[in-house]
């Protein structure tokens, strides 16, 4: 959600929502400024925390206005998320990897999933690129190698959902979602850049990009994105509706880190954006966006934040050639870091946590939802 709004400012320069975005990114940082908040304990997954970290990383890379000096800074927040997750790397089962859930009392704690580990890989690679610190790159290599060794990434670069610790990760769930190759694609592109054009990482980028064809397979509409695991069967849930936004975002961002990919990526982005714009024809206003972009102007009857966010992200990705590449701390980045942030680890949810720092949380999520919904209107001109 906040990643899409950050991208909106990055692509358009329209700053009218920046104060709300800053508020949203800061209100959930938690007492230790690591996006681990007591009020979300029952639902916190490593992927959830990781996505907050990726948004903070994007804010640093895109030179989104820095928070006030007495607030946590974007780079330090991304580093805090990385450090808390590095401490959770679990070698007791499956030879490594992050579990899906952070806490043992949450359903899914016995599952190691590709997206949690992919977000960690992506964040490590981008921190390496931004800071020049080899330690982050070493972690990125470690996560990549583990994902391959445990067969959550196949020999031909298909990414599968995950596996259970009780089976030592031998029971691979072979569901494929759009955001799985996307998160590894951008991480690999950053590693290509960090290694000064390593042929190994270039091959990884090319091979992942090839497998994204799985999600652009429609026999009737060329190059239009499909969520193959649920969309054809009308089984997509609230989370699934947003996944296309992430693949669109990361494919577009990859063209900045691996420029040769532009001519491969953009035909898919253009076709998908045009199809998404047609699908945004629902409701009494005629502007609600559905999930099935391959249906053209025939609205599929679904609507929600995920559908709006996916449409917005693929449309604004059309502007990728007009914006500067992500900055680093040596190319104009201004966000202040803290390499030790988050090193104390995750708080113990069984201990009293006290009162959460006072912030104006009222309506933040609601306002953000409204922004995304209204933001589609601002994106129409990109298709023209």
């Amino acid at each position: 959600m906040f990643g899409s709004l950050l991208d909106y400012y990055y692509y358009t320069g329209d700053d009218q929502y920046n104060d709300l975005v800053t508020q949203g990114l800061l209100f959930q940082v938690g007492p230790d400024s690591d996006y681990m908040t007591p009020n979300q304990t029952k639902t916190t997954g490593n992927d959830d925390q990781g996505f907050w970290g990726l948004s903070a990383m994007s804010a640093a890379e895109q030179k989104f206005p820095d928070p006030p000096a007495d607030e946590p800074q974007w780079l330090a927040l991304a580093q805090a998320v990385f450090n808390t997750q590095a401490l959770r790397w679990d070698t007791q089962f499956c030879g490594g990897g992050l579990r899906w859930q952070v806490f043992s009392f949450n359903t899914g704690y016995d599952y190691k999933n590709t997206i949690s580990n992919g977000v960690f890989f992506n964040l490590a690679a981008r921190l390496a690129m931004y800071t020049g610190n080899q330690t982050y790159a070493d972690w990125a290599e470690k996560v990549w190698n583990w994902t391959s060794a445990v067969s959550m990434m196949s020999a031909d670069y298909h990414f599968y959902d995950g596996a259970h610790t009780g089976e030592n990760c031998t029971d691979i769930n072979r569901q494929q979602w759009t955001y799985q190759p996307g998160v590894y694609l951008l991480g690999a592109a950053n590693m290509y850049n960090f290694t000064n054009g390593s042929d190994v990482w270039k091959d990884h980028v090319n091979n992942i990009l090839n497998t994204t064809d799985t999600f652009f397979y429609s026999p009737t509409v060329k190059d239009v994105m499909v969520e193959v695991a649920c969309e054809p069967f009308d089984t997509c849930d609230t989370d699934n509706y947003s996944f296309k936004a992430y693949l669109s975002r990361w494919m577009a961002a990859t063209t900045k880190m691996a420029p040769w990919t532009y001519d491969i990526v953009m035909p898919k982005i253009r076709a998908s954006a045009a199809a998404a714009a047609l699908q945004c024809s629902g409701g009494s206003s005629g502007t609600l966006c559905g999930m099935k972009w391959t249906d053209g102007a025939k609205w599929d009857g679904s609507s929600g934040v995920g559908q709006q966010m996916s449409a917005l992200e693929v449309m604004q990705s059309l502007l990728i050639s007009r914006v500067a590449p992500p900055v680093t701390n040596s190319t104009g980045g201004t966000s202040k870091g803290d390499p030790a942030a988050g090193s104390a680890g995750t708080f113990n949810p069984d201990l009293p946590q006290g009162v959460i720092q006072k912030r104006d949380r009222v309506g933040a999520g609601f306002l953000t939802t409204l922004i995304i919904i209204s933001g589609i209107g601002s994106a129409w001109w990109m298709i023209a």
Side-chain angles (χ1 to χ4, degrees):
M1 180 181 295
F2 289 106
S4 292
L5 295 175
L6 285 164
D7 286 348
Y8 175 77
Y9 172 66
Y10 175 53
Y11 284 128
T12 69
D14 180 358
D15 64 0
Q16 65 178 303
Y17 305 128
N18 283 9
D19 288 346
L20 288 172
V21 174
T22 298
Q23 177 192 16
L25 287 174
L26 293 178
F27 89 89
Q28 198 73 1
V29 298
D32 296 321
S33 299
D34 57 5
Y35 287 118
M36 290 299 299
T37 53
N39 66 339
Q40 292 295 318
T41 294
K42 292 183 179 179
T43 58
T44 297
N46 279 303
D47 53 349
D48 301 319
Q49 184 200 19
F51 270 97
W52 285 105
L54 293 186
S55 290
M57 191 73 243
S58 292
E61 293 168 333
Q62 296 171 2
K63 294 188 72 172
F64 188 78
D66 293 326
D70 61 344
E71 296 279 9
Q73 303 299 298
W74 307 133
L75 178 57
L77 284 165
Q79 290 171 312
V81 171
F82 170 85
N83 286 334
T84 60
Q85 297 202 340
L87 289 170
R88 298 182 199 132
W89 187 259
D90 170 35
T91 57
Q92 183 179 3
F93 298 97
C94 312
L98 292 177
R99 295 170 181 263
W100 175 23
Q101 294 296 313
V102 174
F103 301 113
S104 59
F105 52 75
N106 284 343
T107 301
Y109 182 73
D110 64 341
Y111 194 67
K112 294 190 176 181
N113 62 343
T114 303
I115 192 60
S116 293
N117 287 281
V119 168
F120 186 45
F121 165 72
N122 183 300
L123 182 59
R126 290 162 66 182
L127 281 169
M129 188 66 199
Y130 192 97
T131 67
N133 189 323
Q134 181 65 41
T135 300
Y136 296 123
D138 292 344
W139 267 102
E141 290 258 13
K142 184 175 184 176
V143 180
W144 175 274
N145 291 338
W146 177 83
T147 306
S148 176
V150 80
S151 297
M152 289 185 190
M153 176 180 66
S154 69
D156 58 354
Y157 291 80
H158 288 274
F159 291 85
Y160 303 125
D161 191 75
H164 291 90
T165 57
E167 301 295 329
N168 205 36
C169 293
T170 59
D171 61 329
I172 300 293
N173 177 349
R174 294 182 177 270
Q175 276 192 318
Q176 298 182 68
W177 302 98
T178 49
Y179 68 170
Q180 292 161 347
V183 75
Y184 280 89
L185 176 65
L186 181 57
N190 273 269
M191 289 299 290
Y192 166 79
N193 227 281
F194 180 79
T195 56
N196 297 312
S198 161
D199 287 339
V200 171
W201 284 107
K202 184 174 184 178
D203 286 345
H204 290 330
V205 170
N206 285 331
N207 286 319
I208 299 172
L209 200 52
N210 288 338
T211 63
T212 62
D213 287 347
T214 300
F215 306 101
F216 298 88
Y217 78 97
S218 173
T220 57
V221 188
K222 184 180 179 182
D223 287 339
V224 174
M225 196 183 303
V226 177
E227 196 64 66
V228 297
C230 68
E231 187 176 325
F233 316 107
D234 295 320
T235 57
C236 299
D237 64 22
T238 300
D239 289 341
N240 304 155
Y241 288 132
S242 70
F243 290 174
K244 291 180 183 179
Y246 309 129
L247 180 57
S248 301
R249 176 187 306 158
W250 293 326
M251 287 181 73
T254 291
T255 67
K256 290 300 190 186
M257 293 289 103
W260 79 89
T261 64
Y262 182 87
D263 290 337
I264 303 170
V265 166
M266 291 313 295
K268 293 179 171 63
I269 295 295
R270 292 189 192 104
S272 294
L278 289 173
Q279 181 58 204
C280 293
S281 59
S284 59
S285 66
T287 58
L288 291 181
C289 301
M291 173 74 167
K292 296 182 179 180
W293 297 348
T294 55
D295 281 1
K298 181 184 177 183
W299 181 48
D300 66 10
S302 72
S303 63
V305 174
Q307 293 94 321
Q308 299 295 116
M309 188 171 78
S310 291
L312 173 61
E313 194 69 63
V314 73
M315 291 182 202
Q316 63 192 13
S317 292
L318 293 170
L319 302 178
I320 190 66
S321 66
R322 305 185 188 183
V323 295
V327 298
T328 69
N329 62 7
S330 61
T331 62
T334 60
S335 188
K336 291 180 168 52
D338 178 4
S343 297
T346 302
F347 67 85
N348 185 339
D350 295 325
L351 296 178
Q353 295 301 313
V355 179
I356 301 172
Q357 292 180 5
K358 183 175 70 176
R359 300 184 190 279
D360 184 10
R361 294 190 174 94
V362 178
F366 178 70
L367 284 171
T368 303
T369 300
L370 289 179
I371 292 167
I372 289 177
I373 292 172
S374 64
I376 293 295
S378 303
W380 284 110
W381 63 275
M382 303 176 195
I383 303 297

